[in-house]
Each structure stands twice: as structure tokens, then as C-alpha cells.
């Protein structure tokens, strides 16, 4: 049996609480150290949980808390900017629908469940360094405090500091030439209640769905050669972004109407879309990465949170079953790398489709109806991603 008893988790977003809950089920205690102060819940618009992510949440006992959040999405409808249907992806047979949730509410629900199970969270603790001995690792935080444990898990998101501690040469996230925005507009639109609409408009991609409260959630991926961090994008006044968005989508419906009914203070500005390139080293010594720090697939995948939760569970399973820490981390990486890189590759193709010029865009709109019935059919495109299940009760084969 492993001698791991205590894990330090840097990051209390989605992967951090998920890892803490999974480790608890593996008989390993953990403390979650989150950089943000307790009162600050962070930002974020909506995120999608795919059937595989929902199944992973069930293993954590977190599926019931989730039922109170968000809404199910059974169908994905592709249209052009005039509202003409150019394709449709129904949910896969035998699987529950995707679920869209507010990121902040979802992260809070996971954290509350973890706290209810006795897991400690410490806020205002930004990890700035770590020191290893053969039997332990000590994390250093920006307030001068330290904490020691058997392993340090970097669940600190796409701009991970633990990643650089593991490998100072680690690649940085790639920025995709698409600016991300989201909001909930105060009007309903004519839409199927459980469908998410993807609009390939004249000058940009736009997604939306009707909420049960009669308002409409939307997000935009606006092509932009100027690459911006979230902080850089937020330095531009939200009014100015709304003005640009209204200009870009002025000929696309219902984007035009939704933007008219979105106030500047409702706009979530996320900067350029980001994704992690393939990362050479997921672990070193007693440190390991989980979630976006290792494998952010870009938000076009609809899988970022789901993969983060899956990885958290597989890491806990490996630490449960594999006696040596290094062997456990290697087994974890073997279980996860191919899968997460395949999802990232699909998302990269989707991103490419969102940055096409006018001619290629017209061609795509013409081909889409045939494509979605043949080579792009839902089962072939999404089956392997969404039908994936973790065999928690099975021992990890690692030798
Ligand atoms: C502010 C924010 C908004 C987001 N909005 C969206 C969205 O609208 N739509 C979407 O699909 N995805 C969004 N995401 C990404 C989404 O949450 C992740 O893709 C996914 O859920 C994987 O989660 P994660 O826990 O690996 O990373 P994250 O959810 O990014 O969580 C990482 C956590 O680590 C903390 N942290 C960072 N550095 C340190 C450090 N040095 N020490 C301690 N703690 C640290 C961060 O404060 C954060 O709470 C957002 C992420 C963030 C941080």
C-alpha cells in the first residue's frame, strides 16, 4: 500500500476541490490552498459539463448538488447568421444531456461539498515555491507561510506556477486568435428550450441558449489577430467592447438583439481563448499537475471542466493503488495523456473553423449539412469523449 497520507493542493477552482474529494475516497487527506481571498469567488461565465464529466462527478457524490445548478442541453443546433439551420448534433443515445452551469456557482458547490466532508480550504494562499526532500514536499506561499505534505498537486489553472516548478522550460499556454466574451441578456429568444445554438455569422462565431428564467445566455468568439490576456482585455472599458461586439454582429440574429439587451456591467470579458500545448512533463519528484495546469483544451472543446474532474479522480486512484509516488504519477500520466490530447486536437480544429475568412466560411456553411450527416456525425465526433468512464473500483494496472 502507498504511504501517502497527506496531499497539498494548490488551487481551489474546479480541479482542486475535485482532487480533494477523490483523494478522500482513496483514504488520503488533503488541504486546498487557494490564492484568492475567501470573499472573492472569482469570475467566469458559463461552462459546460459533458456526460463523461457528469459521470465523474457521480463518483465524487457531487451529482446531487449539481442538479440544482444550470440546465440540461440535449441538442446542438448550427445556424448561419440569418437563423437558417445548417446542421444539428442531437445528444448521444443512452447518455444524459450536457449541462451548462455558471462557473462560479459550480466551483462554490464543489467547495461546499468538500468542506462538508471535512476538507480544509485556506484562502489568500498563493503558492510561490516548493522544496522537496526524499520523503516530503514543503510549499511556500506569498504570505510567508509554509505547509508540508507527501505530495504537492498543482490544480492552479492554465497559468500554473507549479508547472514551472516542475519544469522551468515548460511551454506557456497558446493564445488562439479569438476573443472570448459572455453574458446573460435580459430577453428571451425564439429557441428550443434544451438546445444550444452555434451561429456561424458574418464576422464571428456566436453561441446562445434560452434559460428557464426567460433570459438568454450567450458567448462570443470574435476573431482578433491582437492577442490579449484577460487582464489586458478587461483594461478596455466594457462599454467599448459592447460597441465593438454590436458592430461585428450587426447583421446576425439573434446576436444583434441579444447585444442590444446586454448592459456593460453584465459583460464577462475573458481575453483571447487559450489552450495548453502538449506538455513534456506532468510531474517531477513529489509534484504533479491536474486540470488546466496540465491539459487545458480551450473552451471550444466543452470539455475543460469535465477532463479536469476525470484527471483528479484518476490521480487519486493511482495514488491509492501504486505504492511509489513516482510510479503513481507515471501511471496517472499514462492513463490521461492520450485522451486529453485527442480532445485538445478536436477543439483546435473547431477553433480553426471559427477563424475562417469569408470564402472558406461560405463554403463551410454549404458543406455543413452534408458533413454532420456523414463524417462529422455526433457518435463519430463525440462518442469516445462522452462515453468515457473511470473504473474507480478496479485496481490500476501499473507494472
Ligand atoms: C477566473 C476564471 C474564469 C473562468 N471562466 C470560464 C468560463 O467562463 N468558461 C469556461 O469554460 N471556463 C472558464 N474558466 C476555466 C475553467 O474553470 C477551467 O477550464 C476548468 O474548470 C478546469 O479547472 P481548473 O481547476 O483546472 O482551473 P481553474 O478553474 O482555472 O482554477 C484554478 C484555481 O487556482 C487558483 N490559483 C492560481 N494560481 C495559484 C497559486 N499560485 N496558488 C494557489 N492558487 C492558485 C486560481 O485562483 C483558481 O481558483 C475560468 C477560469 C478562471 C480561473
Amino acid at each position: 500500500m502507498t504511504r501517502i497520507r497527506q496531499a497539498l493542493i494548490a488551487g481551489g477552482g474546479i480541479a482542486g476541490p475535485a482532487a480533494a474529494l477523490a483523494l478522500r475516497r482513496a483514504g488520503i487527506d488533503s488541504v486546498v490552498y487557494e490564492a484568492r481571498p475567501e470573499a472573492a469567488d472569482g469570475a467566469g461565465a458559463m461552462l459546460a459539463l459533458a456526460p463523461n464529466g457528469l459521470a465523474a462527478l457521480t463518483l465524487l457524490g457531487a451529482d446531487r448538488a449539481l442538479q440544482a445548478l444550470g440546465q440540461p442541453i440535449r441538442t446542438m443546433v448550427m445556424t448561419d447568421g440569418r437563423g437558417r439551420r445548417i446542421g444539428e448534433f442531437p445528444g448521444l443515445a443512452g447518455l444524459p444531456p450536457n449541462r451548462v452551469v455558471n462557473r462560479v456557482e459550480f466551483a462554490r458547490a464543489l467547495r461546499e461539498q468538500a468542506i462538508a466532508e471535512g476538507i480544509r480550504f485556506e484562502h489568500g494562499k498563493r503558492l510561490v515555491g516548493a522544496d522537496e526532500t526524499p520523503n516530503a514536499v514543503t510549499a511556500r506561499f506569498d504570505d510567508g507561510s509554509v505547509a508540508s505534505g507527501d505530495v504537492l498537486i498543482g490544480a492552479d489553472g492554465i497559468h500554473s506556477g507549479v508547472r514551472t516548478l516542475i519544469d522551468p522550460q515548460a511551454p506557456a499556454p497558446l493564445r488562439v486568435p479569438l476573443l472570448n466574451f459572455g453574458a446573460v441578456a435580459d430577453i428571451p429568444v425564439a429557441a428550443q428550450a434544451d438546445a444550444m445554438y452555434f451561429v456561424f455569422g458574418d464576422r464571428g462565431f456566436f453561441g446562445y441558449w434560452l434559460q428557464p428564467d426567460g433570459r438568454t445566455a450567450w458567448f462570443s468568439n470574435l476573431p482578433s489577430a491582437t492577442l490579449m490576456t484577460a487582464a489586458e482585455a478587461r483594461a478596455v472599458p466594457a462599454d467599448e467592447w459592447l460597441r465593438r461586439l454590436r458592430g461585428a454582429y450587426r447583421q446576425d440574429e439573434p446576436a444583434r438583439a441579444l447585444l442590444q439587451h446586454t448592459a456593460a456591467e453584465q459583460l464577462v470579458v475573458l481575453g483571447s481563448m487559450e489552450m495548453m500545448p502538449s506538455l513534456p512533463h506532468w510531474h517531477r519528484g513529489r509534484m504533479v499537475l491536474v486540470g488546466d495546469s496540465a491539459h487545458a483544451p480551450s473552451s471550444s472543446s466543452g470539455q475543460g471542466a469535465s477532463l479536469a474532474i476525470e484527471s483528479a479522480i484518476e490521480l487519486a486512484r493511482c495514488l491509492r493503488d501504486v505504492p511509489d509516488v513516482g510510479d503513481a504519477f507515471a501511471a496517472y500520466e499514462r492513463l490521461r495523456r492520450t485522451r486529453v490530447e485527442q480532445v485538445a486536437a478536436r477543439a483546435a480544429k473547431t477553433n480553426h473553423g471559427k477563424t475562417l475568412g469569408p470564402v472558406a466560411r461560405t463554403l463551410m456553411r454549404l458543406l455543413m449539412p452534408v458533413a454532420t450527416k456523414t463524417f462529422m456525425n455526433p457518435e463519430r465526433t463525440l462518442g469516445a469523449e462522452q462515453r468515457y468512464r473511470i473504473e474507480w473500483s478496479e485496481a490500476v494496472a501499473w507494472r
Side-chain angles (χ1 to χ4, degrees):
M1 278 299 285
T2 172
R3 275 175 279 129
I4 294 299
R5 289 280 171 269
Q6 176 75 32
L8 312 173
I9 300 176
I14 309 290
L21 285 165
L23 288 168
R24 168 60 47 108
R25 280 151 185 72
I28 299 168
D29 289 335
S30 63
V31 179
V32 180
Y33 298 92
E34 166 56 48
R36 277 180 289 101
E38 186 154 17
D41 256 331
M46 306 299 255
L47 57 76
L49 292 166
N52 51 296
L54 296 169
L57 284 168
T58 307
L59 290 176
L60 300 179
D63 49 322
R64 258 173 299 129
L66 187 68
Q67 292 311 315
L69 300 177
Q71 70 184 95
I73 297 290
R74 292 190 165 77
T75 309
M76 292 183 245
V77 179
M78 275 77 88
T79 76
D80 65 13
R82 309 291 167 272
R84 285 185 291 251
R85 276 187 188 230
I86 54 175
E88 185 166 335
F89 266 24
L92 301 185
L95 292 185
N98 283 275
R99 208 166 177 90
V100 282
V101 291
N102 177 291
R103 176 187 178 274
V104 173
E105 289 175 7
F106 177 54
R108 192 185 302 137
L110 270 186
R111 185 175 73 230
E112 281 170 1
Q113 181 180 339
I115 290 169
E117 293 193 17
I119 293 157
R120 199 168 93 230
F121 280 64
E122 292 202 17
H123 288 263
K125 297 274 182 190
R126 179 172 294 279
L127 182 117
V128 290
D131 304 300
E132 285 192 65
T133 63
N135 298 317
V137 56
T138 298
R140 286 183 272 115
F141 301 99
D142 62 349
D143 61 359
S145 61
V146 296
S148 296
D150 297 315
V151 290
L152 169 61
I153 297 174
D156 51 347
I158 192 164
H159 298 285
S160 170
V162 179
R163 188 169 62 225
T164 323
L165 294 176
I166 288 173
D167 175 12
Q169 309 304 322
L174 292 175
R175 293 208 194 111
V176 180
L178 291 166
L179 287 173
N180 264 347
F181 303 90
V184 179
D186 292 328
I187 51 163
V189 291
Q192 207 177 304
D194 53 3
M196 188 180 284
Y197 291 76
F198 297 114
V199 184
F200 292 86
D202 278 356
R203 288 174 58 194
F205 176 87
F206 193 88
Y208 67 94
W209 64 96
L210 183 61
Q211 294 193 159
D213 64 4
R215 300 187 301 155
T216 307
W218 63 262
F219 63 94
S220 148
N221 302 146
L222 194 64
S224 167
T226 309
L227 303 175
M228 300 176 112
T229 63
E232 285 164 351
R234 285 180 199 134
V236 177
D239 274 333
E240 171 58 19
W241 282 127
L242 264 185
R243 194 187 63 73
R244 291 191 210 175
L245 287 164
R246 285 172 183 155
Y249 293 107
R250 65 186 178 279
Q251 293 181 332
D252 295 340
E253 291 293 353
R256 190 199 56 78
L258 291 171
L259 285 159
Q260 284 307 327
H261 288 84
T262 299
E265 55 273 18
Q266 292 170 306
L267 189 66
V268 179
V269 179
L270 294 162
S272 297
M273 188 184 283
E274 294 181 306
M275 63 178 294
M276 273 309 292
S278 176
L279 191 63
H281 304 289
W282 285 29
H283 57 93
R284 179 174 66 79
R286 293 182 169 267
M287 297 186 281
V288 66
L289 301 172
V290 71
D292 275 8
S293 57
H295 52 64
S298 95
S299 56
S300 290
S301 67
Q303 282 281 357
S306 297
L307 291 184
I309 297 160
E310 284 181 4
S311 287
I313 297 173
E314 287 291 31
L315 174 60
R317 192 171 151 243
C318 290
L319 285 169
R320 178 195 68 187
D321 293 349
V322 184
D324 175 76
V325 169
D327 289 341
F329 290 168
Y332 157 66
E333 182 181 336
R334 266 198 309 278
L335 281 171
R336 297 301 295 158
R337 185 182 275 282
T338 304
R339 170 163 174 77
V340 300
E341 292 190 351
Q342 280 170 350
V343 174
R346 177 183 66 77
K349 275 192 208 151
T350 306
N351 290 336
H352 179 66
K354 292 175 176 178
T355 54
L356 296 175
V359 176
R361 214 163 37 225
T362 306
L363 201 63
M364 189 188 71
R365 284 192 201 117
L366 292 171
L367 291 176
M368 182 82 84
V370 182
T372 51
K373 290 198 180 83
T374 53
F375 62 91
M376 250 176 81
N377 80 62
E379 187 62 51
R380 189 179 297 186
T381 310
L382 300 174
E385 278 181 25
Q386 297 195 355
R387 294 190 187 282
Y388 184 87
R389 295 295 177 268
I390 295 169
E391 298 301 334
W392 174 255
S393 51
E394 266 179 29
V396 173
W398 59 278
R399 280 176 223 271

